[in-house]
Amino acid sequence: MNVHLLIDFGSTYTKVLAVDIEKEIVIGRAQAPTTVGTDVTIGLNNALSNLFKTCGLDETQIQDSYASSSAAGGLKMAAIGLVPELTLEAARRAALGAGAKVTCSYGFEINKQIVHEIESAKCDMILLCGGTDGGDQNVIVHNAKLLAQSNIKSPILVAGNRAVTSQVSTILGEAGKKIYSAKNVLPSLDTLDVEPAQKKIREIFIDHITKAKGLDKAQYLIGDVIIPTPKATLQAATLLADGTKNEPGIGSVIVVEVGGATTNIHSVIDNLPVTYQAIVKGLPETRVKRTVEGDLGIRYNAPTIYDHVGNEQFLTKLKTLVPSLDGEQIDITNYVREIANNVGYVPANDIEFNLDIALAGFATSMAVQRHAGTVKKEWTVVGEVVVQHGKNFLKTENIIGTGGIFKYGLHPEKVLRSALFSAETPWSLKPQEPKAYLDSNYILYGIGLLAEKYPDQALRIAKKYLKPTVL
């Protein structure tokens, strides 16, 4: 067998997946609690021991290994830009597309209080942007001077106005900061160029951050290359959508990833106007996009989701899931508070399983709504026009659900159904009639890890193991 190990150091569990590249099959999978707080290799070796026992493998059969990680908070970044809707948003997209979690973001000139907030956030990396090429120079220079005076030890990536990149790098470098630079993420108001910054973020992650999180201890098995887990998922989505020279893709795709702390949306689709006459406004949209909703995790943020929705709407949803609920008394407020305090809680009965479906469904609906664009009619001097902001997902061909709720939850298709276009929010450009799949084998991260070296095989494995479902 040509066995390859696909490893994910998760925030809670370290997962291992063994695949046979030649036969294009999954041999087995296992997991064990992540031990990044002590020694990450303990959890890894426990997971491997479980895998070898269940599959009859041993280390001598492993040809190669690849790994991703969201342990110890994943890749936490701060984004600093100029105008919030422009360079700051471009910086956020660059960070998110690289697999980061943007823990704080600031526009315009920062001050000492903001610097203190960044220091307290203990981010793994700072992305400093500002100004189009040939545009404003003063703000990014001002912000660099304040960062230079700070106690920040994290690497700083400068990706702003090219006219002052050298000056900004000198200011920070002379203060002893770890400095990197990349092309401007927003070279002009109608051009978004995030790939150079994303490439540099990955290099910094490999060079510095894996060591800081103790992941370098596992390099004897996984080698030097490790990527953030969300980046692996985004690579899988891109492979599935676009295919390879030898294997066709499945077309445009949205991946809904519901977790205990966040709900992430990954998409690969060209941004087309809703009509030929529609006017598209706002920052240009990249074909490959990722958003992270830090207030929509179905454990840590369960009370927040409940507050967003309100008791009446939540109860109405629950009654559609459990028609026999009429007349029963259930304290939803207490349940969401309890699971937020015990994030590892597993539902114990049918009502609680359906409470999880409701939470995940609302999280999915809101997250996709934030990810998707909007459309509205406006009056101009030439009459009524259709104005579109953001990406149009109406004609998305495929949608995939991944995460614990889609593997272990009750009726996961009901959760994924919440991502679809709704007459209740007709202005939201959510997908209308996509084909649906469930990542019930937890393989998407592994497909992304294999995508670079074995794209054909990775794509065929994904097609084989993603489970079609009806919404």
Side-chain angles (χ1 to χ4, degrees):
M1 292 188 292
N2 188 359
V3 182
H4 290 243
L5 276 184
L6 309 172
I7 303 164
D8 179 53
F9 297 99
S11 56
T12 305
Y13 289 98
T14 294
K15 298 174 284 291
V16 291
L17 191 68
V19 298
D20 187 324
I21 292 296
E22 291 180 355
K23 294 182 180 179
E24 298 176 359
I25 59 172
V26 173
I27 301 170
R29 63 187 61 80
Q31 64 183 35
T34 297
T35 53
V36 72
T38 52
D39 184 339
V40 71
T41 61
I42 297 174
L44 174 58
N45 286 327
N46 289 339
L48 290 175
S49 177
N50 294 337
L51 178 71
F52 294 156
K53 286 178 183 177
T54 57
C55 300
L57 295 174
D58 61 63
E59 291 186 18
T60 62
Q61 295 172 284
I62 306 302
Q63 302 297 313
D64 212 342
S65 302
Y66 310 90
S68 60
S69 175
S70 58
L75 172 55
K76 297 180 292 185
M77 289 186 65
I80 303 172
L82 179 52
V83 180
E85 296 82 5
L86 297 173
T87 52
L88 177 55
E89 179 59 21
R92 284 174 47 81
R93 291 190 191 179
L96 290 168
K101 179 180 180 181
V102 179
T103 56
C104 50
S105 58
Y106 304 95
F108 304 116
E109 291 187 350
I110 60 176
N111 54 35
K112 291 184 178 179
Q113 175 60 35
I114 289 175
V115 171
H116 177 68
E117 291 177 8
I118 297 173
E119 290 173 340
S120 300
K122 297 181 180 179
C123 296
D124 299 307
M125 195 185 308
I126 314 295
L127 179 56
L128 177 59
C129 304
T132 56
D133 289 341
D136 181 90
Q137 301 181 11
N138 297 326
V139 170
I140 190 171
V141 171
H142 166 88
N143 291 343
K145 289 178 179 177
L146 280 185
L147 292 175
Q149 298 166 15
S150 72
N151 294 320
I152 292 171
K153 305 298 182 185
S154 307
I156 300 175
L157 174 59
V158 180
N161 187 341
R162 68 183 183 189
V164 289
T165 295
S166 178
Q167 179 185 356
V168 168
S169 297
T170 299
I171 291 170
L172 293 166
E174 289 180 347
K177 308 301 181 185
K178 299 173 185 174
I179 300 303
Y180 299 83
S181 64
K183 290 182 179 179
N184 195 348
V185 295
L186 191 70
S188 64
L189 292 178
D190 59 356
T191 304
L192 192 66
D193 187 17
V194 296
E195 289 186 8
Q198 290 175 347
K199 182 179 180 181
K200 186 61 68 171
I201 290 170
R202 178 175 176 179
E203 292 175 6
I204 299 170
F205 182 80
I206 293 170
D207 291 343
H208 294 282
I209 297 168
T210 56
K211 183 177 181 179
K213 294 182 181 294
L215 297 171
D216 58 320
K217 296 177 182 178
Q219 286 182 340
Y220 74 93
L221 179 62
I222 62 176
D224 295 328
V225 178
I226 186 171
I227 64 175
T229 304
K231 179 64 176 177
T233 304
L234 198 57
Q235 288 180 174
T238 305
L239 178 67
L240 277 162
D242 296 342
T244 69
K245 291 186 295 184
N246 304 311
E247 184 73 20
I250 62 175
S252 56
V253 64
I254 286 183
V255 176
V256 177
E257 183 178 16
V258 178
T262 65
T263 294
N264 307 332
I265 309 297
H266 315 254
S267 65
V268 185
I269 187 172
D270 292 326
N271 188 31
L272 301 176
V274 290
T275 68
Y276 291 115
Q277 295 81 23
I279 299 172
V280 181
K281 292 186 177 181
L283 195 67
E285 292 280 353
T286 54
R287 184 167 183 272
V288 180
K289 180 179 179 179
R290 171 177 173 256
T291 51
V292 176
E293 306 304 336
D295 61 334
L296 298 180
I298 62 172
R299 282 296 179 268
Y300 290 92
N301 310 118
T304 304
I305 297 172
Y306 176 64
D307 289 341
H308 276 314
V309 174
N311 184 74
E312 183 176 350
Q313 187 177 352
F314 201 103
L315 191 57
T316 299
K317 177 70 172 179
L318 191 59
K319 286 181 178 179
T320 64
L321 296 170
V322 190
S324 61
L325 190 66
D326 290 340
E328 293 187 36
Q329 297 297 315
I330 181 169
D331 190 344
I332 301 175
T333 304
N334 182 65
Y335 180 77
V336 297
R337 184 172 59 246
E338 288 296 323
I339 62 174
N341 293 328
N342 179 14
V343 296
Y345 182 77
V346 177
N349 54 55
D350 186 61
I351 295 295
E352 291 183 351
F353 270 110
N354 280 285
L355 278 166
D356 264 15
I357 292 175
L359 281 168
F362 284 122
T364 294
S365 178
M366 288 186 282
V368 174
Q369 184 171 303
R370 294 175 188 178
H371 187 87
T374 60
V375 66
K376 64 179 180 179
K377 293 182 177 180
E378 294 183 1
W379 284 95
T380 70
V381 292
V382 295
E384 189 179 60
V385 297
V386 175
V387 177
Q388 174 182 330
H389 289 268
K391 292 187 77 171
N392 172 17
F393 290 100
L394 292 176
K395 303 301 181 183
T396 305
E397 296 168 273
N398 305 278
I399 187 167
I400 302 170
T402 187
I405 194 72
F406 295 107
K407 178 173 175 58
Y408 302 109
L410 187 69
H411 300 304
E413 73 282 353
K414 294 182 180 180
V415 175
L416 203 54
R417 190 183 303 158
S418 302
L420 301 185
F421 177 86
S422 170
E424 296 177 359
T425 54
W427 40 264
S428 180
L429 301 176
K430 296 160 75 174
Q432 287 180 309
E433 297 179 336
K435 295 179 181 178
Y437 302 87
L438 301 174
D439 181 23
S440 54
N441 290 286
Y442 246 141
I443 64 168
L444 269 187
Y445 83 88
I447 299 305
L449 291 175
L450 284 175
E452 291 188 25
K453 194 168 182 180
Y454 300 99
D456 295 341
Q457 294 90 333
L459 181 52
R460 287 192 286 267
I461 291 171
K463 289 179 178 180
K464 186 180 298 184
Y465 287 95
L466 288 175
K467 178 183 176 183
T469 189
V470 178
L471 301 184

